[in-house]
Amino acid sequence: MLNALSMRRTAQFGDEGDEHQEDGSKTRKQLSIATRVTNYLTRTGYLWPILFLAIVIFVIYSLFIRSRNLVCVSSISSFDRLSRTRFFGLDGLESDFGSLGVPWCRSKHGKTIEWTSKDLLQGLEEFVPIYETRPIKNNMYGMGFDHSFGLWFITRWLKPELMIESGAFKGHSTWILRQAMPDTPIISLSPRHPAKYLLKGPAYVDQNCTYFAGKDFVDFGNVNWSKVMKKHGVNDSSRVLIFFDDHQNELKRLKQALKAGFSHLVFEDNYDTGTGDHYSLRQICDQFYIQGGGHSCFKDSDEARQRRKRKQFWEKAVDINDLCGPHEAWWGVKGYMRDDFNHTNKQISHTQHFQNSRFVESILDVYWELPPVAGPSLTQQTRYDPARVSNPIVEDGRFGLFQRLGLSRLEETVFNGYTQMVYVKISLNEM
């Protein structure tokens, strides 16, 4: 019996050995076939052509896969936030701001603003609850949150004795001025009286405001300001704040304000080059000799490639074809100085554009563009292109701060109206 058991065990081990031997023989058999095929191809001279063909097929396949990925990116909704991240990468959202240049007008003495980023943050914390009580919740075609905060903050800081606004629309800016200075008189100039809008929906009419509106409308440049100021008991024109939201040529308004002796001006729509319905200070100061200024109309330039790419993701991004007009005229809007809601426009040469900039610099004491309140990953805004804008007050990625300031309570749509609001202080050039 023991002998029989031993025989069975021997047979079992023998079978396992046979299996391993069979596996080994299969491997040897396969290797021998591969070797024979290689030797055959080498002898006949077919080996290198086949390898070359394999490499070509691999390269074509790789290009096909890459092109499919690019098509997938471009087919995603133009303003999809995830597609923007995929396309531009994750190498620092903050560094994207200003990557195409931010041309600031140069002041004649190099002066700058007194307030700091800390002051702006403190102001935001105070302003959000105020903004939530606004009478006009949906201020379509009017100021959004960014510019509302900017006007309120600047007004609060300067504490003027008289506030003048040119362009009131439904009265939202009047309400903002009133929140900043509860007891200071306001003068409002607007072709249509805000009260007219009350017939169709929310509007604001201030009880301590003198309206030159409707049938009593007078353009800012035609008002006898010395008489008006005397009537309001204001003797010092440097204690007056002017707010322009009238879509008029800002060079024209600058000269009119200077002639009247005013110093502190805020322009709501400070449009970037190639955009907008009027000639703006941003456009005037977009010059080759200013850091971040000047443009190339060469369609294969780095700037052109960046602009083409960004046009897919930001509504207000300007493609090189939109920037440049005939004879490579890029200043203003394709070489034109627009005015009066683009109802009138005048073609100007680059020399004239340059001279306009030099004039502005000669009277400019301070120039400051309001930065966006927060980065687009926080506000979900899709309009302005960060590549032409300064760093925001609340930078991308700082959601805790964004939330603590109360900004997360606001609707996303209120952050879509940013157009580089600017504060300037001017004075006559000292001879």
Side-chain angles (χ1 to χ4, degrees), residues 86-97:
R86 288 172 179 167
F87 198 89
F88 291 108
L90 296 171
D91 52 346
L93 288 169
E94 181 182 350
S95 63
D96 192 42
F97 280 87

Side-chain angles (χ1 to χ4, degrees), residues 55 60 69 83 86 101 126 133 136 195 219 226 256 259 266 291 338 351 353 356 398 400:
I55 292 171
I60 293 173
N69 290 337
S83 67
R86 288 172 179 167
E126 184 179 351
T133 67
I136 307 169
D219 184 77
S226 58
Q256 292 170 348
K259 183 179 179 181
V266 175
Q291 184 177 1
R338 290 181 172 179
T351 300
H353 178 64
N356 291 339
R398 303 192 66 184

